[in-house]
Amino acid sequence: MTGLNVLRSFLAGSIVLAMSQGATAEDWNAVVLSSIGKMPVGGGYAVTSDAGRRFRESVQPASDRLVVNARAAVPSYCSSATYLLLLEVVNESAHRGAVELDATSIAAWVPTALADGHG
């Protein structure tokens, strides 16, 4: 497991821990549904270098969150679309105070140039 994967696993575990500290399943369901509502509908499926580039360009780090522009990642592939949804959940969780995003964790969540199914 690469260092980046270890960090992502740690951050995912942190979200689970935050979920277990007072948040109900309904609270987290609302976060996920809100995040799904921010995702574009349609747009096509492509596993091309252009789709990968668009995916990477659709996420930019900011001082306290990730700026996710899922519409810029069209067409997409399954793992890129799923990852963008996860990033929206992370952002919303941070906005609600359930997780804290610092510069290191924000940088770790930004997609890199890996092939679909890797990383």
Side-chain angles (χ1 to χ4, degrees), residues 29-41 71 85 88-89:
N29 191 48
V31 171
V32 171
L33 291 175
S34 172
S35 298
I36 289 171
K38 296 175 185 175
M39 296 293 107
V41 177
R71 284 171 184 72
L85 177 60
E88 283 293 349
V89 170

Side-chain angles (χ1 to χ4, degrees), residues 61-77:
S63 62
D64 62 343
R65 65 189 171 92
L66 292 153
V67 177
V68 179
N69 179 5
R71 284 171 184 72
V74 174
S76 63
Y77 43 95

Side-chain angles (χ1 to χ4, degrees), residues 5-56:
N5 286 339
V6 170
L7 183 56
R8 285 181 180 152
S9 295
F10 170 77
L11 293 170
S14 297
I15 291 170
V16 171
L17 177 62
M19 290 171 57
S20 69
Q21 296 179 348
T24 66
E26 290 81 17
D27 294 334
W28 291 99
N29 191 48
V31 171
V32 171
L33 291 175
S34 172
S35 298
I36 289 171
K38 296 175 185 175
M39 296 293 107
V41 177
Y45 177 82
V47 185
T48 63
S49 60
D50 187 53
R53 180 186 55 76
R54 289 174 182 265
F55 166 58
R56 290 186 303 280

Side-chain angles (χ1 to χ4, degrees), residues 7-8 10-12 14-15 59-68 86-110:
L7 183 56
R8 285 181 180 152
F10 170 77
L11 293 170
S14 297
I15 291 170
V59 180
Q60 299 298 317
S63 62
D64 62 343
R65 65 189 171 92
L66 292 153
V67 177
V68 179
L86 173 63
L87 295 181
E88 283 293 349
V89 170
V90 168
N91 273 336
E92 183 65 23
S93 299
H95 176 73
R96 293 176 182 221
V99 296
E100 189 174 315
L101 293 176
D102 61 16
T104 302
S105 61
I106 289 169
W109 284 101
V110 175

